[in-house]
Amino acid sequence: MALPAPPRAGARDHAPRTRLAAVVLVVGAGLALRAVATGGVSKYGGDALYTLLLFALVFVAAPRTAPARAAAVALAVSWGVEFLQLTDVPAQLAGESTVARLVLGSTFNAPDLFWYAAAGWSVLRRR
């Protein structure tokens, strides 16, 4: 995800809209993937998209963040949520709320850690 150039004097800054569009696009891709794919494609593709969503959200919240820092934050949050699944908290919340289930998951899966890192690496590699 490339950061837009600063706007010229008098020009309208479309960057916030572009960042929000990226967030919507990633969420849509994740929901579409869950609807049409099964097995590992759905599971691990969703993991990668989860990290890409966090990456985009970092830029929405802090537009001037360096891409490497945004990737590190996205990876740290992704791993934090995954390690939180070693407790009962996400599973309990997932039983009560679809949103909690989608955001927090419910069970720890070690390969997820790799897919989160792969997503961040792929974004940085394109820079």
Side-chain angles (χ1 to χ4, degrees):
M1 174 182 283
L3 292 176
R8 289 171 277 146
R12 186 170 176 175
D13 184 9
H14 295 284
R17 197 175 314 159
T18 302
R19 288 184 201 97
L20 288 175
V23 167
V24 170
L25 181 67
V26 173
V27 169
L31 293 174
L33 185 65
R34 290 182 62 87
V36 300
T38 59
V41 171
S42 175
K43 169 81 175 102
Y44 298 118
D47 290 344
L49 287 169
Y50 182 85
T51 301
L52 292 177
L53 173 62
L54 293 171
F55 181 77
L57 287 172
V58 169
F59 285 116
V60 168
R64 297 191 187 278
T65 303
R69 181 167 290 192
V73 168
L75 181 61
V77 171
S78 296
W79 281 2
V81 169
E82 192 66 32
F83 284 115
L84 181 65
Q85 292 170 358
L86 291 170
T87 71
D88 292 336
V89 173
Q92 289 173 349
L93 293 173
E96 297 175 19
S97 166
T98 301
V99 172
R101 182 176 51 80
L102 291 172
V103 172
L104 298 176
S106 60
T107 55
F108 178 81
N109 185 25
D112 290 352
L113 300 171
F114 167 78
W115 291 105
Y116 298 139
W121 178 78
S122 70
V123 168
L124 291 177
R125 187 169 168 248
R126 293 185 185 271
R127 298 271 319 140

